[in-house]
Amino acid sequence: MAKRFLSSPSQSISFKFREASFDLLKDFLINLNKRNKENLSSLSKCSGSFKDKRLIEYILLMTKELRLDPLVGYHAIELFQRFMVRHLTDLFTTPTPQGATAGPPTSYEGAVFDKLKEKFPLIIFSCVQLASKMSLHSHIIDNNTAVRFLHSVGHSVSKQTVLKSELMVLKGLEFRLNAPNPLTYVEILLEVLGHNEQSVPVERLHHLCHHVLQFVSLQRTSIYDSLLVTTIQCGSPSPEQREKFVTVTEDCMLLGVGVIAVATFILHVRKWEQVLGELSHITGISQRSISDFVCVTLMHIVRGSSLVPST
């Protein structure tokens, strides 16, 4: 891909578990649960549409190339999803420009997508750049670095263009950048798990959880399709069932406990039932729901995919 752009590599963050107080963990958990419920209650029909495997891989590779904390990548994915849904909704609900209706019915839609196609790589980068500014553990990607990086991957843009793109994304998101981030859920749930169950090796689980989350994110479509079939016990889900299932595919709390449970099964299967029960107790998600997620994910891992991180 591109050459290295930062003068010194960002150091991997050394997490120290079991140091946060009970009251602090309680507040964190309540806040996460509240944000997750708010997000699930305001989903659009297009939620998840811009979490294509290629897009996720592109963002995660860009994050790695820029030596940013993994949290930045997952945050950028959520920002990009939200922005694209809002942006396209705004474009298609505004009055059709005069003269556009003279052509075929799809002419205006085609023109919108053609114009958007040109901006697509820059929009993605703007989401990564904004996410880097929200992270406490990463370098902030300034405009000089942005221009150099984009040029190295074949996009020659000016600093002004980078600024305009960043502002467009900010306005599209109504300056609300604190989107639920699945890795945040994983790490805080691990912290709570370590506090409640001292015998669980959360330090080792933390490392493996990164790989499991990456796998689930990249295999998102096939994993959730299998989970839907398992849930409804029907091999051909209806459009209505798929639409309702969006509240499952966008549930960060379920994803968080599912990732931890998968990592526990792989790393320390003797602790799995204990961890399963504790995760259910912490979140209120049924053990059956967590087990279904784990079984489906493990099935896809065994089918020939790998948890070895991409290079």
Side-chain angles (χ1 to χ4, degrees), residues 56 60 70-71 73-75 77-78 181-187 190 205-220 223-224 249 251-263 266 293 297 301 306-307:
I56 292 176
L60 293 180
L71 277 168
Y74 291 104
H75 193 177
I77 291 166
E78 298 302 324
N181 182 325
L183 185 52
T184 299
Y185 280 74
V186 169
E187 292 182 341
L190 272 176
L205 283 175
H206 177 253
H207 178 72
L208 184 54
C209 280
H210 276 262
H211 299 316
V212 175
L213 179 58
Q214 178 177 289
F215 177 86
V216 174
S217 299
L218 292 173
Q219 302 297 327
R220 169 189 170 86
I223 286 176
Y224 280 111
T249 64
D251 190 338
C252 283
M253 195 69 81
L254 174 62
L255 178 55
V257 296
V259 165
I260 295 171
V262 170
I266 295 171
F293 186 98
T297 303
I301 292 172
S306 172
L307 290 184

Side-chain angles (χ1 to χ4, degrees), residues 219-235:
Q219 302 297 327
R220 169 189 170 86
T221 301
S222 57
I223 286 176
Y224 280 111
D225 280 350
S226 298
L227 186 59
L228 172 58
V229 170
T230 299
T231 302
I232 65 175
Q233 295 293 301
C234 174

Side-chain angles (χ1 to χ4, degrees), residues 11-299:
Q11 302 297 321
S12 58
I13 307 304
S14 178
F15 282 86
K16 294 182 179 180
F17 290 95
R18 301 185 178 91
E19 293 191 356
S21 67
F22 171 80
D23 290 337
L24 184 61
L25 290 176
K26 181 180 177 182
D27 289 343
F28 268 127
L29 199 56
I30 290 173
N31 182 53
L32 282 185
N33 189 47
K34 179 182 177 183
R35 287 171 57 196
N36 191 51
K37 287 183 176 179
E38 289 174 351
N39 181 53
L40 294 178
S41 66
S42 60
L43 293 175
S44 76
K45 293 181 179 180
C46 299
S47 293
S49 300
F50 293 94
K51 291 182 179 178
D52 176 80
K53 177 181 179 179
R54 291 169 299 175
L55 282 171
I56 292 176
E57 185 173 24
Y58 183 71
I59 290 174
L60 293 180
L61 285 172
M62 184 186 298
T63 303
K64 183 178 180 181
E65 188 68 24
L66 290 166
R67 300 186 180 187
L68 300 172
D69 188 275
L71 277 168
V72 173
Y74 291 104
H75 193 177
I77 291 166
E78 298 302 324
L79 293 181
F80 179 74
Q81 161 70 28
R82 291 184 171 211
F83 170 77
M84 290 303 299
V85 170
R86 287 175 178 267
H87 189 56
L88 287 176
T89 300
D90 290 343
L91 288 175
F92 289 129
T93 54
T94 52
T96 306
Q98 187 175 2
T101 54
T106 59
S107 61
Y108 176 60
E109 288 82 355
V112 168
F113 282 115
D114 285 342
K115 188 174 181 180
L116 189 61
K117 191 189 302 181
E118 300 172 5
K119 300 179 179 179
F120 208 63
L122 190 53
I123 291 172
I124 294 173
F125 184 85
S126 294
C127 291
V128 174
Q129 188 175 17
L130 287 169
S132 77
K133 294 179 179 181
M134 296 291 290
S135 174
L136 297 175
H137 305 303
S138 284
H139 297 281
I140 291 176
I141 303 303
D142 60 30
N143 291 329
N144 289 324
T145 302
V147 169
R148 291 200 306 272
F149 178 84
L150 289 167
H151 178 73
S152 74
V153 293
H155 304 288
S156 296
V157 296
S158 65
K159 291 181 185 179
Q160 185 178 9
T161 302
V162 171
L163 283 169
K164 284 183 178 179
S165 176
E166 188 176 21
L167 185 58
M168 178 181 72
V169 173
L170 274 171
K171 287 182 177 179
L173 293 171
E174 298 178 340
F175 296 87
R176 297 175 182 175
L177 302 181
N178 196 21
N181 182 325
L183 185 52
T184 299
Y185 280 74
V186 169
E187 292 182 341
I188 291 180
L189 286 169
L190 272 176
E191 182 67 64
V192 176
L193 178 64
H195 180 276
N196 291 357
E197 294 290 344
Q198 296 289 322
S199 63
V200 176
V202 290
E203 292 82 4
R204 295 177 63 197
L205 283 175
H206 177 253
H207 178 72
L208 184 54
C209 280
H210 276 262
H211 299 316
V212 175
L213 179 58
Q214 178 177 289
F215 177 86
V216 174
S217 299
L218 292 173
Q219 302 297 327
R220 169 189 170 86
T221 301
S222 57
I223 286 176
Y224 280 111
D225 280 350
S226 298
L227 186 59
L228 172 58
V229 170
T230 299
T231 302
I232 65 175
Q233 295 293 301
C234 174
S236 302
S238 67
E240 292 78 14
Q241 288 172 320
R242 289 188 178 278
E243 184 177 326
K244 290 180 179 179
F245 201 67
V246 172
T247 56
V248 176
T249 64
E250 297 301 307
D251 190 338
C252 283
M253 195 69 81
L254 174 62
L255 178 55
V257 296
V259 165
I260 295 171
V262 170
T264 303
F265 190 93
I266 295 171
L267 184 67
H268 208 324
V269 68
R270 291 182 180 179
K271 292 283 184 183
W272 187 72
E273 289 190 3
Q274 176 188 357
V275 169
L276 180 67
E278 188 57 38
L279 289 173
S280 177
H281 174 72
I282 291 169
T283 63
I285 298 173
S286 70
Q287 292 190 35
R288 174 65 183 273
S289 295
I290 302 173
S291 295
D292 285 346
F293 186 98
V294 172
C295 290
V296 166
T297 303
L298 289 172
M299 176 184 68

